[in-house]
Amino acid sequence: MIKQLKILIKLLPSAYRFKLSLVGAAIMYLVGIVMALSFPGNGIGIVFLMMGPIWVSQLIISLSVSNLVQVSSFKKALHTYLSAAANFISMILSYLLVLLVDGINRYIHPEYTDNDGISLFLACFFFVIAFTLYVSFCYKYFIVSSIFLVIGVQVVGVYYNFSMYLGENTLPFGISAPFPLLILSGFGIIFVSSLLQYGISLLLYKRPLSKTAQYAGLRKYM
């Protein structure tokens, strides 16, 4: 798999609108950082910080439209475990950025408490699951998965507001845990979510790609 990941990295610059996707992802991260630092304890910045995998997935799927990929054994790997692996790596990087933002908030905002940090990480965990499920389904069932994503984000927003009133060091369902364990659980959630994406990709592999999920310029090649 390492060898194929290296091949994928070499192929990514040739993906459709690669530079535009990089700019879009950079803007998302920048907006997320600014909002997370400007409004500590407000989970809206986390939405932007955890959207990185969506850009990565779009680049990977656009590669599969290539005739060269279509006729090679690399196609199935690209749609299944390579996509899951790329999602895992990008989620980890995004999560490390969330950890950095949490540390900076504690330094520059004296009023920033553990409860604010807990609310931030709870929002992060939900978005990890929501965005992973979205990229697992959207390239096959774009409209339905987009509707569920919007609903999921709204549910997360409601739960996030309630979580701000939870007790200190409290996980969902009232489970008490030390703050370091809360942080470590994020890595576990990302790992399990990526495994789930891999499983879903195997089930949906033979389903045709949704043209609606692609850039207009790519649709004529599908």
Side-chain angles (χ1 to χ4, degrees):
M1 186 177 75
I2 300 299
K3 182 179 179 180
Q4 289 183 314
L5 274 174
K6 290 180 179 179
I7 295 174
L8 174 60
I9 292 173
K10 291 180 180 179
L11 287 176
L12 276 180
S14 61
Y16 189 74
R17 293 189 176 179
F18 175 73
K19 292 182 180 179
L20 179 62
S21 295
L22 286 185
V23 172
I27 291 174
M28 285 292 182
Y29 281 123
L30 181 60
V31 170
I33 291 172
V34 171
M35 295 192 71
L37 293 179
S38 301
F39 306 99
N42 188 318
I44 188 63
I46 303 303
V47 178
F48 294 96
L49 290 177
M50 300 310 296
M51 287 183 70
I54 295 180
W55 294 92
V56 173
S57 297
Q58 177 62 43
L59 288 173
I60 292 175
I61 295 300
S62 73
L63 285 173
S64 67
V65 178
S66 166
N67 290 331
L68 182 62
V69 173
Q70 287 287 337
V71 297
S72 71
S73 59
F74 191 64
K75 178 184 176 182
K76 185 173 183 179
L78 200 63
H79 279 257
T80 55
Y81 64 83
L82 286 180
S83 291
N87 178 71
F88 174 77
I89 294 171
S90 58
M91 278 289 188
I92 289 292
L93 293 176
S94 296
Y95 186 61
L96 290 175
L97 194 54
V98 172
L99 291 176
L100 178 62
V101 167
D102 178 71
I104 294 175
N105 272 331
R106 292 175 184 275
Y107 181 76
I108 65 176
H109 296 289
E111 70 279 10
Y112 188 85
T113 65
D114 275 354
N115 276 352
D116 294 318
I118 289 171
S119 296
L120 181 143
F121 283 107
L122 289 177
C124 178
F125 297 164
F126 278 113
F127 285 126
V128 165
I129 297 171
F131 288 144
T132 299
L133 288 175
Y134 177 70
V135 299
S136 299
F137 287 99
C138 72
Y139 297 106
K140 307 290 184 174
Y141 307 102
F142 179 73
I143 296 177
V144 173
S145 58
S146 296
I147 292 173
F148 274 99
L149 177 65
V150 172
I151 294 174
V153 169
Q154 295 300 318
V155 171
V156 170
V158 172
Y159 184 84
Y160 177 81
N161 290 330
F162 278 112
S163 72
M164 296 185 71
Y165 298 98
L166 295 176
E168 187 174 354
N169 296 340
T170 301
L171 291 172
F173 311 111
I175 302 173
S176 180
F179 193 72
L181 180 59
L182 178 66
I183 294 175
L184 289 176
S185 64
F187 292 101
I189 290 172
I190 293 173
F191 178 72
V192 172
S193 296
S194 297
L195 287 180
L196 180 61
Q197 179 185 354
Y198 174 61
I200 293 172
S201 68
L202 290 177
L203 293 174
L204 300 181
Y205 169 67
K206 293 185 178 181
R207 297 281 183 178
L209 289 173
S210 169
K211 290 186 178 182
T212 313
Q214 302 300 322
Y215 289 116
L218 277 178
R219 294 173 191 169
K220 60 184 178 181
Y221 299 107
M222 298 176 66

